[in-house]
Amino acid sequence: MKDIVCGIMTSRTTGNRREWIEKTWGAHFEHVYYSDHRDPLRNVVKVSNATHYKSNEEKHINFLNRCGPFLAERYEWIFCCDDDTFVFPQRLRKFVREEADPGRVYGTVHSAEKGAGDNPIFQRVDRSLRFPAGGAGYLISSAVMKRLHPLKNHGTGYSDVSLGLNLMEKQIPLMDFEHRFFAHTPSGFQHPEEGVPEAISYHYIKTRESVDALSRGLEPTPTHGEMFRLPLSWWW
């Protein structure tokens, strides 16, 4: 079994971000994109027809239900994030080796209680709900993936809230590492543009300049074989 694979949510409208990923942090470990379009040559699997923000919930749940079991048989961990997330793969691997417990899920944790006054969706869910911020990325083990499957689309309009409800239903512990998985840009935390050494990820990295600045924290690009591919039958 390999150590980790990354599942990256994207859209046919954000091809530039996939190009940036391929040339930077995506070159350091195996990954697959899930989207509202298919592109077998670039390892993009279609899980939705819609491009709007609210489709993220459908995309994410469909990806975990369709691809999660396949990945869980081949990788010890799955890291899920967005195409405007920047990831430091060497730090993520170190976290997995030295700190992560395969019975738990890791990320930056938000709560329904904290968000209740800001969004009406939290008025109709359990106030004790906790969920990992999707943009910061979250880490899920193969063991937890098998426990979660199949996941329910709760129709909240938010991929991370829907995931949190599934975790709550299956009583799977969620661990808060907000000082490692950052749900905003470096400037949002008053960090230098290249980030801080303890950072595993940052969100809202939407410009090439921001990608280049964070790339200064990457190790030299490794030499490896072909990118991970899903079975061809999954494209149709």
Side-chain angles (χ1 to χ4, degrees), residues 63-200:
F63 168 71
L64 292 177
N65 279 336
R66 185 178 180 188
C67 304
F70 176 87
L71 298 176
E73 292 296 330
R74 291 157 178 81
Y75 295 87
E76 296 176 356
W77 293 89
I78 304 168
F79 186 71
C80 293
C81 65
D82 297 345
D83 63 6
D84 62 345
T85 308
F86 189 95
V87 184
F88 295 94
Q90 70 275 24
R91 301 175 193 173
L92 181 59
R93 283 197 165 99
K94 186 174 187 291
F95 181 82
V96 164
R97 288 194 309 268
E98 300 179 2
E99 301 183 56
D101 178 336
R104 303 170 186 270
V105 173
Y106 295 86
T108 284
V109 177
H110 291 172
S111 68
E113 184 66 34
K114 184 177 180 180
D118 302 322
N119 193 313
I121 190 63
F122 296 117
Q123 302 297 330
R124 61 182 182 90
V125 299
D126 191 319
R127 290 296 185 90
S128 66
L129 174 68
R130 300 168 73 247
F131 55 94
Y138 72 88
L139 189 63
I140 180 171
S141 70
S142 59
V144 167
M145 184 67 251
K146 292 172 183 177
R147 282 184 60 192
L148 269 178
H149 190 269
L151 290 86
K152 177 182 177 182
N153 185 333
H154 285 272
T156 67
Y158 297 92
S159 60
D160 42 15
V161 174
S162 202
L163 175 64
L165 289 167
N166 280 278
L167 293 173
M168 175 181 279
E169 290 167 356
K170 301 292 177 66
Q171 298 183 328
I172 295 171
L174 177 58
M175 307 304 293
D176 188 10
F177 277 75
E178 63 178 359
H179 60 292
R180 308 290 289 282
F181 303 92
F182 290 101
H184 215 286
T185 62
S187 63
F189 296 96
Q190 298 184 327
H191 293 174
E193 63 177 6
E194 66 272 18
V196 293
E198 63 270 24
I200 291 174

Side-chain angles (χ1 to χ4, degrees), residues 21 50 69 76 109 195 202 224 226 235:
I21 290 172
E76 296 176 356
V109 177
Y202 286 102
H224 54 70
E226 292 186 6
W235 303 113

